[in-house]
Amino acid sequence: QGLGCSSAFLIMSDPHSILQKQKFSWQQTMLRIKDPSKSLSFYRDVMGMTLIDKLQFPDMKFDLYFLSTLPAHEKYELEPGSDDAHRYLWTMKGTTLELTHNYGTESDASFKYHPGNQEKDGFGHVAFNCNDVYESSAKLEAAGISFKKKPDEGRMKGLAFVFDPDGYWVELVKRSTAAKFDNEFNLSQTMLRIKDPKKSIPFYQALGMTLCREVHMSDFSLYFLACLPEGTQAPDPKSEEASEFVKSLFCPVLELTHNHGTEGDETFAHFSGNEADRKGFGHIGFLVEDVQAACEALEALGSSFVKRPLDGTMKGLAFAKDPDGYWIEVIKRGGYDDKATPFWREATPAA
C-alpha cells in the first residue's frame, strides 16, 4: 500500500497538469438518511435507480448504500456487498447517490436530518430528468409521494419538486427530446449554492468538469458542470443549444447557484451540511488515479483539508474543501487491493 507521487515531484510540476493526469470523475453525492428501508424504496423502487453496492462498518455503526441510474437495457447482476460489486463501484464511470445510515436513527421517532433550503444552507436538491414532468408527477402522486411543488404551481411551470423520505428536495426536470435513452428517470443534478463563481467554477474545472451551461437572471445565476463522457463536446455554455445539451445528458450535472451580491460580502458563508445542527448533505466525491498527488496539487492551488490521505483510521482517502467549504472526497480509482478497497486501516499492534 502506498500513495504514489512525491512532494518533490509536485513542486517541479504544474498543479493543473497533475490534476489533469488524475482523470477526475464525479462518482458520488452523499446524503445522510434516517431509515434505509424507506430511502431504498424511494430511490430504487420509485425513481428507478439500481443498488450498486453496500458497505457495512458495524464497528463504526454505519452502513453505506450506493445507487446509480443505469441504462434501461443494462442488467446489473452483481450482489451488493460482494467483492465484484466493490470492484464495479470503485472503477465505474457513472455517478452514484451514496446514502449513509448511522445505526439507530431509524428507531428514533424524534430524529431527523436537515434537508437544506433554510437560510444560508448550501445544499439545495438532487434532480431527475424525465420525458413528461406532468405524467411522471401524476404517477408519483398516485404512489403516495409528497410534493413541495407540482408542475402547475408557482411561477415556473413545467417542473416539480417532491420530498424524499428524509425531506430532501428532489426536482423533476423535462429532458430534451434529443435524449436517446428509455429510462423514465435518470439522476440529473446535484444543486449547491456558491458565494463566488469566479472561485468555484475554476475549482471544479480543475477537477475535470466542463462548464456546459450558464444562465444569468437579474438576481441570480446558474452554472451547470459535468464530467462528460469521453468524446462528448459541450456547446458554448451561453448558447441556446446549451440548455438542450444539458437536458439530453444521461450523466448528472453539478448545478451551482449564485445569488448575486454574496461575493462582495466578507462575512457571508453557506452552511456545508456537516455542521452539528445542519447535518444532511455530506459531500460529493471523485475517483482519481493517485490520491496523494491529487491532494498535493489541490493544496498547491489553495485548498484546505478536512482529512488528508494519511489522517484518521481510514488511510488512503481524503476530504478537501471547495471554495465554499463543501467537502470533496478524493478516492483512489480501483482501490488498494484486489477487492478495490479505496482505503486501508493500520494494523493494531499486538499487546
Side-chain angles (χ1 to χ4, degrees):
Q1 289 154 339
L3 285 171
C5 183
S6 69
S7 299
F9 176 71
L10 180 64
I11 291 171
M12 298 169 60
S13 306
D14 170 42
H16 285 96
S17 67
I18 293 291
L19 292 175
Q20 188 174 20
K21 291 175 183 177
Q22 298 316 308
K23 301 178 181 178
F24 275 79
S25 62
W26 180 20
Q27 196 257 358
Q28 59 182 248
T29 290
M30 189 277 261
L31 300 176
R32 299 175 178 93
I33 59 169
K34 176 177 179 175
D35 187 336
S37 64
K38 293 180 179 179
S39 295
L40 289 175
S41 177
F42 176 78
Y43 286 107
R44 180 187 59 200
D45 304 334
V46 176
M47 303 309 295
M49 302 188 82
T50 298
L51 179 61
I52 298 296
D53 200 7
K54 176 183 178 180
L55 304 183
Q56 297 177 291
F57 299 91
D59 58 324
M60 292 187 280
K61 298 183 178 180
F62 71 91
D63 293 337
L64 307 176
Y65 300 83
F66 294 86
L67 299 100
S68 187
T69 303
L70 300 181
H73 59 80
E74 183 175 322
K75 190 173 182 180
Y76 187 77
E77 297 181 333
L78 303 180
E79 180 67 27
S82 68
D83 291 349
D84 285 340
H86 298 339
R87 284 187 282 267
Y88 182 98
L89 174 67
W90 300 120
T91 58
M92 66 184 292
K93 294 183 179 179
T95 306
T96 65
L97 275 183
E98 176 190 0
L99 304 181
T100 297
H101 172 233
N102 293 296
Y103 296 176
T105 55
E106 72 282 5
S107 57
D108 183 348
S110 65
F111 184 88
K112 61 181 179 180
Y113 281 114
H114 184 74
N117 296 302
Q118 294 183 15
E119 186 177 3
K120 292 188 177 180
D121 279 336
F123 174 73
H125 61 261
V126 295
F128 289 80
N129 286 359
C130 57
N131 287 332
D132 188 322
V133 173
Y134 292 88
E135 180 180 326
S136 293
S137 293
K139 290 181 181 178
L140 293 178
E141 186 173 16
I145 304 303
S146 298
F147 280 75
K148 169 68 179 176
K149 177 195 175 302
K150 295 182 179 180
D152 274 336
E153 295 175 346
R155 291 180 300 170
M156 300 182 73
K157 309 298 184 185
L159 58 81
F161 283 88
V162 301
F163 293 111
D164 89 342
D166 286 279
Y168 296 116
W169 294 15
V170 178
E171 186 178 13
L172 304 180
V173 181
K174 178 178 173 58
R175 70 168 61 104
S176 170
T177 55
K180 303 299 181 185
F181 41 90
D182 298 325
N183 304 64
E184 178 165 10
F185 298 108
N186 63 290
L187 180 66
S188 62
Q189 294 178 12
T190 293
M191 190 277 263
L192 300 175
R193 298 175 181 91
I194 59 171
K195 177 177 179 175
D196 188 346
K198 291 182 179 179
K199 295 179 180 178
S200 296
I201 303 304
F203 175 85
Y204 286 103
Q205 287 175 322
L207 303 190
M209 303 193 88
T210 299
L211 178 60
C212 298
R213 184 190 181 201
E214 56 183 276
V215 180
H216 302 283
M217 309 300 284
S218 61
D219 56 351
F220 70 93
S221 296
L222 306 176
Y223 301 87
F224 300 84
L225 298 98
C227 286
L228 294 176
E230 189 172 349
T232 302
Q233 295 293 321
D236 181 334
K238 297 181 180 179
S239 68
E240 294 182 3
E241 294 80 13
S243 175
E244 289 300 298
F245 174 79
V246 166
K247 293 177 182 179
S248 71
L249 292 171
F250 189 73
C251 65
V253 296
L254 185 62
E255 177 186 0
L256 302 181
T257 298
H258 172 229
N259 292 303
H260 298 167
T262 55
E263 71 281 7
D265 183 350
E266 292 184 2
T267 65
F268 183 86
H270 288 110
F271 292 109
S272 72
N274 291 298
E275 297 81 6
D277 60 343
R278 299 269 177 159
K279 287 188 176 179
F281 165 78
H283 61 261
I284 61 174
F286 291 80
L287 297 181
V288 300
E289 295 296 302
D290 184 325
V291 173
Q292 184 69 22
C295 290
E296 289 178 350
L298 287 171
E299 186 170 21
L301 293 175
S303 292
S304 60
F305 287 81
V306 178
K307 177 194 178 304
R308 297 178 186 276
L310 295 178
D311 293 344
T313 58
M314 290 185 170
K315 311 294 185 183
L317 57 79
F319 285 89
K321 287 185 177 183
D322 87 343
D324 283 275
Y326 297 121
W327 293 16
I328 308 298
E329 188 171 14
V330 185
I331 311 155
K332 181 171 172 56
R333 181 179 290 108
Y336 297 100
D337 60 18
D338 60 1
K339 299 177 183 179
T341 310
F343 61 87
W344 72 87
R345 302 190 196 188
E346 290 185 348
T348 302

